[in-house]
């Protein structure tokens, strides 16, 4: 995945000679499972159409260069071995950036000009990452799943992100008796039982350490613990409070070795509920700060200007985000297009330009390192009186 820094560079890239390509390469779609997958056919046609559409616009030599670049790109797509559901590529004259993600693309598209980065930002924001950790007395399994925040109900909500975060197993080495036979728990003396317990405990401490690293590295919104009850309570006791905050109170009683599909089915209702509650809590906390101590802001114009000035920490936005905003191209100030009929900026007199609110919000958020949380359902309803957006501020 592209780093935030790289995304910022692309957002402010001055050149207008960048090819942006977004392809739905989802291997579970039958049309993509063919020998000549649908995305390949689409890319070839769309890229050549694009070249033709620029024939009368670009100077001859530039057009020739674009044509050559596109042919190379078509070859590149031919050889593509997709790893996620969506493939994204930005290609300049002498550089390229590509990435794959598990989010589902609504429509393939290709663009020539400044890098079309905002659609990628949506793909990144529409999913929340959660962890599922299954532990018993001899093995542990770590899984990362993506929670779709905005997929329609008939689509699956949750899936395991195996491309970027491969699951890995931890196994406790079986305890051996002096003569090398494996110990089977429950069939030996008290002394031996304690030795096995100490051994299992060491294993669980190891799992706890891995869990700390897992949370630090993957930064999931939360972690669902599953497996044996004793293992779960042991982990909860020894985990760092910071990590424990991320563990859902509700456990998952499913075997460590269960097939992925069964794990997902069991985890889905728990994670769904947890995500909704998490969103609602965030909105409540933000609105409380708004009314109490002014460490929050709400409303489209206020929030967008706070983000632009680098003052917003986290933006909460009700999905779907619609409508337009007006912006002053000179001083950058935003004005709510629905509230104000202003044609010119009251600060500098420049004629205002109409922009998509959603695009402006994401763009500013990435440029100013602000977190964006998309919320739905009850949490979104709470934001309705504020134009669907609120933000916590970095300082009062
Ligand atoms: Zn202005």
């Amino acid at each position: 995945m592209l780093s935030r820094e790289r995304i910022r560079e692309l957002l402010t890239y001055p050149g207008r000679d960048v090819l942006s390509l977004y392809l739905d390469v989802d291997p579970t779609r039958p049309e993509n499972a063919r020998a000549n997958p649908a995305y390949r056919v689409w890319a070839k046609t769309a890229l050549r159409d694009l070249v033709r559409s620029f024939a009368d616009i670009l100077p001859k030599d530039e057009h020739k260069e674009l044509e050559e670049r596109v042919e190379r790109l078509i070859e590149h797509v031919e050889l593509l071995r997709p790893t996620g559901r969506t493939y994204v590529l930005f290609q300049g004259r002498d550089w390229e950036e590509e990435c794959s993600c598990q989010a589902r693309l609504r429509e393939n598209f290709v663009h020539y000009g400044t890098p079309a980065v905002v659609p990628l930002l949506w793909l990144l924001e529409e999913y929340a990452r959660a962890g599922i950790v299954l532990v018993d007395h001899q093995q542990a399994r770590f899984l990362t799943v993506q929670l779709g925040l905005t997929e329609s109900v008939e689509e699956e909500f949750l899936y395991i992100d195996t491309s970027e975060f491969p699951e890995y197993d931890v196994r406790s080495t079986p305890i051996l008796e002096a003569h090398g036979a494996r110990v089977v728990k429950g069939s030996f003396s008290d002394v031996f039982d304690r030795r096995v317990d100490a051994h299992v405990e060491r294993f669980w401490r190891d799992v706890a350490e891995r869990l700390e690293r897992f949370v630090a590295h993957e930064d999931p919104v939360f972690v669902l613990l599953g497996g044996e009850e004793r293992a779960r309570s042991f982990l909860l006791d020894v985990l760092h409070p910071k990590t424990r905050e991320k563990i859902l109170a509700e456990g998952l009683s499913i075997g460590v070795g269960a097939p992925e599909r069964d794990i997902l089915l069991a985890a889905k209702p728990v994670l769904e509920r947890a995500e909704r509650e998490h969103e609602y809590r965030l909105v409540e906390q933000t609105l409380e700060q708004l009314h109490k101590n002014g460490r929050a802001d709400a409303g489209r114009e206020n929030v967008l200007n706070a983000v632009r000035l680098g003052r917003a920490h986290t933006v909460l936005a009700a999905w779907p985000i619609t409508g337009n905003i007006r912006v002053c191209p000179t001083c950058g100030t935003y004005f709510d297009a629905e509230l104000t009929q202003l044609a010119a900026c009251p600060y500098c007199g420049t004629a205002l330009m109409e922009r998509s609110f959603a695009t402006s919000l994401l763009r500013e958020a990435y440029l100013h390192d602000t977190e964006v949380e998309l919320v739905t359902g009850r949490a979104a309803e709470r934001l309705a009186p504020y134009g669907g957006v609120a933000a916590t501020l970095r300082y009062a």
Side-chain angles (χ1 to χ4, degrees):
M1 189 41 65
L2 298 181
S3 67
R4 244 182 130 91
E5 199 182 357
R6 189 69 191 115
I7 287 173
R8 271 200 289 276
E9 282 171 17
L10 288 170
L11 277 171
T12 51
Y13 185 78
R16 307 185 67 86
D17 56 357
V18 178
L19 279 163
S20 307
L21 178 67
Y22 285 71
L23 294 176
D24 173 356
V25 293
D26 187 351
T28 64
R29 286 192 195 277
E31 63 269 34
N32 282 338
R34 295 196 293 251
N36 191 15
Y39 68 83
R40 220 185 267 171
V41 178
W42 185 90
K44 203 174 190 168
T45 313
L47 282 164
R48 286 185 179 150
D49 284 352
L50 177 97
V51 171
R52 267 193 296 280
S53 73
F54 276 93
D56 300 326
I57 299 169
L58 292 176
K60 258 211 160 60
D61 52 335
E62 270 179 53
H63 188 255
K64 180 96 186 98
E65 196 197 327
L66 177 64
E67 193 171 8
E68 285 164 10
R69 275 171 62 190
V70 157
E71 287 307 314
R72 280 202 304 276
L73 187 50
I74 290 172
E75 270 171 43
H76 182 75
V77 173
E78 296 277 333
L79 297 171
L80 203 62
R81 291 284 168 269
T83 50
R85 284 175 159 180
T86 298
Y87 172 79
V88 182
L89 176 127
F90 303 102
Q91 188 210 62
R93 276 203 169 85
D94 51 4
W95 59 269
E96 69 179 31
E97 283 287 349
E98 59 181 345
C99 70
S100 291
C101 62
Q102 289 296 341
R104 181 168 281 158
L105 188 67
R106 287 185 178 77
E107 207 172 25
N108 290 330
F109 79 92
V110 59
H111 174 83
Y112 180 68
T114 53
V117 191
V118 170
L120 173 65
L121 306 187
W122 280 121
L123 291 173
L124 300 181
E125 295 296 340
E126 284 176 26
Y127 286 79
R129 196 179 303 150
I132 301 176
V133 177
L134 303 174
V135 199
D136 62 20
H137 60 279
Q138 61 174 355
Q139 52 184 329
R141 198 163 157 201
F142 292 72
L143 304 143
T144 315
V145 297
Q146 298 282 341
L147 294 166
L149 299 181
T150 58
E151 295 198 19
S152 55
V153 274
E154 64 271 23
E155 277 190 273
E156 68 194 283
F157 178 81
L158 188 74
Y159 57 88
I160 293 186
D161 193 349
T162 43
S163 66
E164 283 174 75
F165 310 102
E167 62 179 277
Y168 57 97
D169 288 345
V170 194
R171 255 169 230 283
S172 70
T173 36
I175 237 180
L176 298 178
E177 280 195 83
H179 57 276
R182 256 178 204 224
V183 166
V184 182
K185 201 174 174 344
S187 64
F188 33 82
S189 70
D190 276 1
V191 178
F192 224 85
D193 219 3
R194 279 200 297 279
R195 235 179 86 190
V196 171
D197 276 354
H199 174 75
V200 170
E201 199 180 301
R202 267 200 308 281
F203 169 61
W204 285 343
R205 282 192 193 282
D206 179 39
V207 173
E209 262 171 50
R210 277 167 195 265
L211 184 50
E212 306 272 359
R213 287 203 297 276
F214 179 73
V215 167
H217 184 242
E218 310 283 346
D219 194 29
V221 240
F222 31 66
V223 176
L224 179 55
L225 269 189
E228 276 180 19
E229 174 59 39
R230 263 184 72 207
R232 294 208 298 255
S233 54
F234 183 91
L235 287 183
L236 283 174
D237 279 347
V238 299
L239 283 174
H240 189 274
K242 266 265 176 245
T243 311
R244 206 164 46 219
E245 269 173 26
K246 299 232 170 186
I247 310 278
L248 296 179
E250 197 171 338
L252 190 67
S253 53
I254 194 156
V256 177
E260 273 187 10
R261 202 187 141 65
D262 294 353
I263 298 171
L264 284 182
L265 277 177
K268 188 177 140 134
V270 186
L271 289 176
E272 234 165 356
R273 200 159 50 240
E275 173 62 23
R276 297 293 167 254
E277 278 164 18
H278 168 74
E279 290 173 2
Y280 193 74
R281 230 176 8 253
L282 274 177
V283 168
E284 284 298 310
Q285 282 165 2
T286 305
L287 292 181
E288 196 185 307
Q289 289 192 342
L290 176 73
H291 299 304
K292 258 198 193 146
N293 54 20
R295 289 201 55 190
D297 223 330
R300 296 184 159 217
E301 190 177 306
N302 290 345
V303 166
L304 202 41
N305 283 314
V307 176
R308 173 179 73 91
L309 297 169
R311 296 180 57 220
H313 182 273
T314 303
V315 172
L316 304 170
W319 176 266
I321 310 176
T322 54
N324 284 346
I325 191 98
R326 284 184 196 170
V327 63
C328 170
T330 306
C331 69
T333 313
Y334 287 97
F335 301 92
D336 196 326
E338 269 140 44
L339 291 183
T340 176
Q341 289 310 306
L342 285 175
C345 174
Y347 305 117
C348 68
T350 315
L352 298 181
M353 289 165 81
E354 195 117 340
R355 289 267 185 276
S356 140
F357 175 70
T359 300
S360 308
L361 180 65
L362 269 194
R363 197 185 139 78
E364 295 287 0
Y366 268 82
L367 288 177
H368 299 284
D369 222 2
T370 303
E371 299 285 331
V372 177
E373 289 264 357
L374 299 176
V375 304
T376 51
R378 232 159 39 103
E381 281 164 29
R382 287 286 284 126
L383 288 174
Y386 308 94
V389 278
T392 54
L393 301 179
R394 288 190 211 274
Y395 41 81

